[in-house]
């Protein structure tokens, strides 16, 4: 379509602008004697990471609207703690969430949360400074490493790698001394991680993209290990809703899942367009330029991988879970230090 903000765009994106304009035009039409019921409304929250991609794309491309739902622009928050507390307080009906968080909510806190679908696979990495001598987990002894949440796949996968190399994860003040076989872990909001690494306040971080890609491009940081190269195509974030919403409005929840699954399929087939849409050069859901996000939707370089034969995507999309993954995650939660 001439003059589109999305050059060489596939038909779905061309239709998006048309649908928005058509909806706006039709909203001004009044037919005497005819009453229209308001669309069911849902509130969405998200962190500014590419884990939120399916929710954001489903909103941007109008997939929620096409399912008959009213979904305002998703609300961006800064940390998993804020997102979790907001969801518990009922501010958000639907959100993406690190897989271990709803497990903790349901079985530790007794909160009736429900996992509706996987949100994405892979999508994270361990990142170090470009001039660092850290080349693998064995080199992290005596170091300071930031994680985004204790109840995160990042924490679980990091501790798996440390234990496999004879290292002990500990949680101490950063000023405390460490033995050579200890690695100190602490929570840091994802947006703060690249600058903390640059300022040598930490030795490494493990987090979702785009913060790994941002550190690579802006600060010449280096990927030590992709998480999808530790556990092939592992689940990371999931889509969650409260049990009460599902019981009261099952059809609405199903429509929301339909839109999200459709968005996942679109993202998988249109990685370059997805990067543009999310970026501040596109719809501005994530506060980063397209150049950074484009890196996220590229495949890792062959030389960066321990298991190149797996051909892992840097981030992938898989809505339907398999039972062995939750069982494995719960066992890792029992083994991890949190």
């Amino acid at each position: 379509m001439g003059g589109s903000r999305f050059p060489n765009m596939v038909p779905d994106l061309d239709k998006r602008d048309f649908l928005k304009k058509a909806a706006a035009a039709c909203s001004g039409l009044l037919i005497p004697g005819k009453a229209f019921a308001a669309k069911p409304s849902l509130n969405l929250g998200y962190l500014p990471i590419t884990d939120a991609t399916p929710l954001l794309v489903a909103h941007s491309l109008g997939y929620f609207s096409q399912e008959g739902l009213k979904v305002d622009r998703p609300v961006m928050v800064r940390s998993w703690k804020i997102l979790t507390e907001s969801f518990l307080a009922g501010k958000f009906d639907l959100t993406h969430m690190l897989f271990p968080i709803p497990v903790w909510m349901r079985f530790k806190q007794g909160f009736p949360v429900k996992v509706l679908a996987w949100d994405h696979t892979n999508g994270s990495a361990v990142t170090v400074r470009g001039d660092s001598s850290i080349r693998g987990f064995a080199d992290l002894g005596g170091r300071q490493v930031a994680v985004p949440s204790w109840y995160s796949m990042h924490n679980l996968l990091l501790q798996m790698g440390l234990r496999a190399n004879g290292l002990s994860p500990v949680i101490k003040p950063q000023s405390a001394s460490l033995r050579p076989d200890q690695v100190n872990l602490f929570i840091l909001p994802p947006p703060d991680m690249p600058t903390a690494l640059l300022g040598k306040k930490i030795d490494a971080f493990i987090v979702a993209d785009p913060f790994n890609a941002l550190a690579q491009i802006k600060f010449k940081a280096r990927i030590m290990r992709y998480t999808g190269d530790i556990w092939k195509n592992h689940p990371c974030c999931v889509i969650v809703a409260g049990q009460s919403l599902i019981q009261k409005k099952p059809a609405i929840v199903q429509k929301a899942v339909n839109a999200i699954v459709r968005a996942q399929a679109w993202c998988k087939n249109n990685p370059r367009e997805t990067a543009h849409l999310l970026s501040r050069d596109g719809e501005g859901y994530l506060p980063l330029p397209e150049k950074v996000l484009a890196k996220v939707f590229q495949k890792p370089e062959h030389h960066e991988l321990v298991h190149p034969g797996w051909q892992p995507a840097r981030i992938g999309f898989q809505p339907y879970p398999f039972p062995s993954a939750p069982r494995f995650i719960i066992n890792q939660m029992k083994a991890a230090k949190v």
Side-chain angles (χ1 to χ4, degrees):
M1 184 168 63
S4 171
R5 291 173 299 147
F6 298 88
N8 302 318
M9 193 53 61
V10 296
D12 265 359
L13 273 185
D14 290 335
K15 286 190 292 186
R16 185 188 61 161
D17 285 340
F18 168 77
L19 288 168
K20 283 183 177 179
K21 291 173 182 176
C26 291
S27 66
L29 297 178
L30 294 176
I31 302 176
K34 182 75 173 179
F36 293 92
K39 286 185 176 182
S41 179
L42 291 174
N43 296 316
L44 275 56
Y46 74 101
L47 245 64
I49 53 178
T50 47
D51 293 15
T53 295
L55 284 173
L56 304 177
V57 168
H59 175 263
S60 180
L61 299 188
Y63 291 165
F64 289 120
S65 181
Q66 291 169 32
E67 288 286 339
L69 303 176
K70 180 182 182 297
V71 177
D72 291 332
R73 187 178 176 93
V75 176
M76 183 173 68
V77 299
R78 183 175 172 78
S79 71
W80 288 114
K81 183 175 185 293
I82 295 172
L83 187 65
T84 300
E85 290 174 351
S86 299
F87 178 78
L88 289 171
K91 182 176 180 180
F92 301 131
D93 301 305
L94 205 71
T95 185
H96 68 117
M97 200 166 279
L98 293 165
F99 206 156
I101 293 179
V103 173
W104 167 80
M105 280 183 176
R106 191 169 188 104
F107 298 110
K108 184 74 172 178
Q109 302 301 112
F111 184 83
V113 63
K114 184 76 172 179
V115 172
L116 302 177
W118 285 4
D119 186 48
H120 71 102
T121 58
N122 302 343
S124 301
V126 182
T127 298
V128 299
R129 287 187 298 277
D131 60 356
S132 172
S133 61
I134 299 170
R135 297 289 169 179
F137 285 105
D139 300 323
L140 288 172
R143 310 279 190 163
Q144 306 282 339
V145 183
V147 300
S149 168
W150 296 130
Y151 295 100
S152 68
M153 291 301 299
H154 311 89
N155 185 36
L156 302 185
L157 289 166
L158 176 67
Q159 293 197 34
M160 283 170 55
L162 296 176
R163 291 195 303 271
N165 284 272
L167 297 175
S168 299
V170 297
I171 301 171
K172 295 183 176 184
Q174 283 186 264
S175 57
S177 60
L178 297 173
R179 297 197 312 262
D181 66 338
Q182 292 181 325
V183 181
N184 194 37
L185 311 183
F186 58 95
I187 302 295
L188 195 63
D192 296 339
M193 291 183 179
T195 51
L197 185 71
L198 178 69
K200 299 188 177 181
K201 295 179 180 179
I202 58 176
D203 298 296
F205 64 76
I206 181 168
V207 77
D209 267 318
F211 297 108
N212 305 289
L214 175 65
Q216 283 179 286
I217 291 173
K218 190 172 181 180
F219 302 136
K220 294 184 169 50
R222 175 167 44 82
I223 300 297
M224 188 203 88
R225 191 77 179 269
Y226 290 103
T227 56
D229 196 35
I230 301 169
W231 176 1
K232 182 181 180 181
N233 294 330
H234 68 85
C236 188
C237 273
V238 289
I239 300 295
V240 301
Q243 187 70 46
S244 61
L245 178 64
I246 298 169
Q247 290 172 342
K248 292 176 183 176
K249 302 176 179 179
I252 290 174
V253 174
Q254 181 61 62
K255 288 175 182 293
V257 173
N258 293 347
I260 291 165
V261 171
R262 186 178 172 193
Q264 287 179 310
W266 189 88
C267 294
K268 196 170 183 178
N269 293 324
N270 301 279
R272 181 179 61 81
E273 292 85 354
T274 301
H276 179 84
L277 184 153
L278 295 175
S279 74
R280 67 187 184 203
D281 305 303
E283 295 295 316
Y285 291 101
L286 302 183
L288 291 168
E290 182 178 350
K291 177 182 177 181
V292 171
L293 295 176
K295 194 170 185 66
V296 177
F297 291 93
Q298 296 171 353
K299 283 188 172 292
E301 298 290 336
H302 188 277
H303 66 84
E304 295 177 307
L305 299 172
V306 173
H307 300 291
W310 291 0
Q311 297 185 325
R314 187 156 175 162
I315 186 170
F317 299 98
Q318 159 65 31
Y320 304 116
F322 46 88
S324 60
R327 287 197 294 265
F328 183 77
I329 289 167
I330 290 170
N331 288 335
Q332 291 303 314
M333 290 178 72
K334 292 176 181 177
K337 182 176 287 295
V338 295

